[in-house]
Amino acid sequence: ALDRLKDDFLSTTSHELRSPVANMKMALRMLTLAIAQERCGAAPTPSTTTVKPVERYLHILEAECDREISLINDLLDLQRLEAGEQPLTLEAIALQDWLPPRVTSFQARAQEHQQTLQLVLPLALPLFHAHAETLERILTELLTNACKYTPADGQIVVTAQAQGEAMQFRVSNTSLELSTHDLAHIFDKFYRIPKSDPWQQGGTGLGLALVQKLSEHLGGSLTVESTAGQLHFLVALPLTGEQS
C-alpha cells in the first residue's frame, strides 16, 4: 500500500512538473518562429504585427517559469515540514498592528477582480507568540486562495479572535457550496476542485496542503467549512506558540 501511494505521488508530481515545462517549450518554439519571421521581413517598427505575439510568448514563459518555481518551492517546503527540518524561533506579535498591513497588501488584487476584502478585529487581542514568517505564509496562502476562487462582486472577510488558549484566524469568501467529497479532499496534495476557478489562474495544487502542514508545525490546526454561499478556513494556533 505504501509503495502504491509513493508511485501515485511520483506519477502525479511528474505530471505537474512536466506541464509548465511543456508550455515553456511551446512558447520558446513559437517565439523562435516569430523572431525569425520578423528578421526575414521589413525593419521592425512599433506597429510590426510580430510585436504582440513575441510579447505574448514572453508572458507565457514568465508565467510558466514562475509556476514551476512555485511548485518546486512548495514541494521542498512540504518535504522539510514532513521531515521536521524547520525549527522555528517564536516572537511576540501584536496582531492589531501586524495583521492589517498583510491583509491590505491584497486590496489591489481584490479590487482588480471586483471583490470586497474586509478585515474584522476586536478592540483588543492578547499578545500572541508565533513564528511571524510562518504565520504570514499561512495567511498569504489563504488570501491568495480566496482571491483566486471568489467570483466578481464576491466578498472576502478575514477575522482574528482569541478563544480560550488559542488564537483563531478565519478567512471566509463567497463560494459555491462544496460537496462532502470536495471538503474531504481539499487539503490533499494536487487536489483541485472541478470548475471552481472563475479567473482561470491555475495553481500548484499544493497551497492548502502546505497551509495545513504549517499550521500543524505551529502546534495548531486548519479546518474548512462550506455553508450556503460561503467557504470558511479556520486556523487555530496556541497563544503560547507551542510547536509540534
Side-chain angles (χ1 to χ4, degrees):
L2 288 174
D3 285 341
R4 185 169 63 254
L5 286 173
K6 180 187 69 176
D7 292 342
D8 289 344
F9 176 74
L10 290 175
S11 176
T12 304
T13 304
S14 299
H15 172 76
E16 295 292 337
L17 287 170
R18 189 185 300 116
S19 181
V21 174
N23 290 336
M24 284 188 279
K25 287 185 67 176
M26 178 275 296
L28 282 168
R29 189 178 302 114
M30 298 305 295
L31 183 60
T32 301
L33 290 173
I35 292 174
Q37 290 173 358
E38 181 177 320
R39 287 175 176 172
C40 292
T45 66
S47 61
T48 301
T49 57
T50 55
V51 171
K52 288 186 177 179
V54 167
E55 290 177 350
R56 183 169 69 251
Y57 301 140
L58 285 174
H59 177 73
I60 292 173
L61 282 171
E62 182 178 18
E64 293 299 321
C65 184
D66 288 343
R67 179 182 165 196
E68 187 83 352
I69 291 171
S70 178
L71 177 57
I72 292 170
N73 286 339
D74 286 349
L75 282 170
L76 290 173
D77 287 341
L78 278 169
Q79 190 275 331
R80 294 188 188 105
L81 285 166
E82 290 174 349
E85 296 177 358
Q86 287 192 324
L88 302 176
T89 302
L90 305 183
E91 58 187 282
I93 302 174
L95 290 173
Q96 285 95 340
D97 299 324
W98 185 90
L99 196 53
R102 274 75 185 175
V103 176
T104 302
S105 65
F106 281 84
Q107 283 287 1
R109 180 171 180 176
Q111 290 173 1
E112 182 182 349
H113 289 166
Q114 298 85 51
Q115 300 161 345
T116 302
L117 175 59
Q118 182 182 8
L119 172 63
V120 179
L121 289 177
L123 293 177
L125 284 171
L127 202 61
F128 175 57
H129 291 80
H131 185 253
E133 184 178 340
T134 300
L135 180 60
E136 183 168 2
R137 181 78 180 277
I138 289 171
L139 294 172
T140 296
E141 291 287 349
L142 289 177
L143 280 167
T144 299
N145 185 77
C147 289
K148 183 185 298 182
Y149 295 111
T150 301
D153 299 322
Q155 187 178 33
I156 303 167
V157 180
V158 181
T159 62
Q161 61 178 348
Q163 289 286 343
E165 297 299 317
M167 183 66 71
Q168 295 184 348
F169 301 89
R170 183 185 295 269
V171 178
S172 304
N173 66 283
T174 302
S175 169
L176 297 175
E177 189 168 356
L178 300 187
S179 68
T180 303
H181 177 271
D182 288 331
L183 290 175
H185 294 280
I186 198 168
F187 298 123
D188 291 354
K189 299 181 182 72
F190 302 117
Y191 184 76
R192 297 184 181 92
I193 298 170
K195 300 179 181 179
S196 65
D197 187 355
W199 306 104
Q200 300 299 309
Q201 293 180 331
T204 67
L206 292 173
L208 292 178
L210 183 58
V211 171
Q212 186 180 54
K213 286 295 182 183
L214 289 171
S215 301
E216 292 172 353
H217 196 42
L218 290 178
S221 62
L222 171 66
T223 56
V224 62
E225 179 184 10
S226 179
T227 59
Q230 291 284 317
L231 188 64
H232 312 275
F233 289 95
L234 178 65
V235 179
L237 301 175
L239 281 170
T240 54
E242 299 172 359
Q243 300 177 43
S244 62

